[in-house]
Structures are given as C-alpha cells and as structure tokens.
Amino acid sequence: MRGASTHGAAAVAFTRTFAALAAAVAFCLVGSTAVAHADTPARRGHECATPSIDRFQQWLASGEGTTVPATGSLLVRERHGYAARVEFLGTEWHVAVVWLGNQFEAQADLSDSAGFWLTYSATDDLYVQLRSASRWSGGAQWLTRVPSTDGRLVRRFFSFAPDGWTWLPELGEPSHSFASAVAEARGLVFVGKTPNRLAFRGLRVNGYRPPCR
C-alpha cells in the first residue's frame, strides 16, 4: 500500500509539473504573438481621421517629372489601411513628397532620432532627400539611396548617422549642413531618374509621432 501511495504521489507530481510546463509554453507563445503584432496600427495608436500611413497624411506627387498620378495625393485604400502609390515614367527626375508635420509650414527637430523605418516596394533604385524648412527648394539636398526591392514589399531602416547621407553632383552640393537639415526637417522627398513603380506601406520615424491635421 505504501508503495502504491508513493507511486500515486509521484504521478500527481508529474501531472502538475507537466501542466506547469504546458502553461509556461502557452504563455511564451502568446507573448511571442504579442511582440509580433506590437507594430500594428492598433498598438501604435490610432491612424488619423483622414487617410494616413502611420499617421503621415500628406504623401504627394509634386508635378516634377512625369508621374502617375501627376499631382495630388498618392494615398489609395488598400486592405485594412492605405498605401501611397506612384509610378515614375521616363528618364528624367521625378519627385514624390512626404510632409513630416502633415502640413507644409510644419517642421520637426529630429536631432535625437536614430532614423526611420520604411516599408516599401520599388522596381528600381531611387533616393530620399531630407529637406529642411529653411532649405526646402532645389535639388542640392542631403540624400541617401533607397535600394530597389525588385517589386517586393520590404521593411528597411535608414539611419540618420551623417556618414550615411551624401549628395549628387548632378543635383548640386548642399549649402547647409546635414545636422541643420535634421534639426528643422520639413519633409522626406523621394527622387529618381529612371522608370520606377513605387508603393509605400509604412513610415515610422524613431522618437517622432506626427500630429494629425
């Protein structure tokens, strides 16, 4: 009887240990799912009342270069949110703009920001310029290359480390420092000189939350 009692106690202990392990595994799986979905709009905060991507409302075709659309908003309804779509046609400079403060007059001090995450697809290489409020106009801007994704949707980080930004002789050397462009950032301007089909699905700037307008 004593041996049977000992065996029964051991069985109960094993059952409890197994149940605890199963609960721990289930908790880890739920935790992993929560982390995987931590970047969804619901957890980042609500989108704006008007169409937006990560609260950025102003994705615009500037009318510079032959693009589709030629001018106006690039935002189109897609799945449960919005995408910004534009096509560059021909071999000339094309321009597509994102206003960081959701209106032209706004600016943001990104001096303490590490950079930004961009979720996009592109059929060819292009560049993104960081344009400041005081040096908005003209092609002589600080820029970094945005690599082609061969049309696949990818998420890539672009650092604000100065050595990652340069300028193109064809567009001219900026007369202002990169630090000043970061300190009074007005917009990200995507430029390219080749045919390209672009779609943007996400833009998150480290340490910066754009205001809805």
Side-chain angles (χ1 to χ4, degrees):
M1 291 294 292
R2 186 175 182 181
S5 176
T6 302
H7 177 74
V12 170
F14 174 80
T15 301
R16 288 177 178 172
T17 301
F18 181 81
L21 288 172
V25 170
F27 177 81
C28 290
L29 289 174
V30 171
S32 297
T33 302
V35 170
H37 292 284
D39 199 35
T40 61
R43 293 183 179 273
R44 287 197 307 268
H46 295 298
E47 290 283 1
C48 299
T50 60
S52 62
I53 298 173
D54 290 327
R55 296 175 63 89
F56 291 98
Q57 298 165 288
Q58 299 295 333
W59 300 74
L60 306 168
S62 71
E64 300 168 80
T66 306
T67 63
V68 178
T71 58
S73 178
L74 307 180
L75 292 173
V76 294
R77 187 76 182 177
E78 195 165 286
R79 297 176 187 171
H80 301 298
Y82 288 87
R85 293 185 173 276
V86 63
E87 188 171 358
F88 293 170
L89 305 177
T91 54
E92 58 182 342
W93 284 107
H94 314 82
V95 178
V97 179
V98 182
W99 292 346
L100 293 174
N102 288 325
Q103 64 182 21
F104 181 73
E105 296 78 10
Q107 64 185 68
D109 185 353
L110 304 180
S111 300
D112 295 328
S113 175
F116 60 93
W117 287 97
L118 185 68
T119 304
Y120 75 102
S121 64
T123 55
D124 203 352
D125 290 352
L126 67 156
Y127 300 93
V128 60
Q129 299 175 330
L130 180 63
R131 295 202 184 185
S132 67
S134 61
R135 297 288 193 279
W136 174 261
S137 299
Q141 306 285 344
W142 294 102
L143 53 77
T144 191
R145 186 174 69 93
V146 179
S148 168
T149 69
D150 295 322
R152 294 176 294 106
L153 190 68
V154 303
R155 187 170 186 254
R156 181 171 279 118
F157 184 71
F158 295 86
S159 172
F160 282 142
D163 58 2
W165 293 74
T166 185
W167 50 277
L168 296 178
E170 183 177 351
L171 297 177
E173 181 177 0
S175 59
H176 58 292
S177 67
F178 179 69
S180 69
V182 173
E184 53 176 33
R186 173 171 284 174
L188 294 175
V189 177
F190 296 93
V191 300
K193 199 178 181 181
T194 58
N196 209 338
R197 184 168 295 176
L198 300 163
F200 302 96
R201 289 298 307 270
L203 173 60
R204 299 196 65 197
V205 181
N206 168 252
Y208 175 68
R209 179 181 170 88
C212 293
R213 305 290 184 180

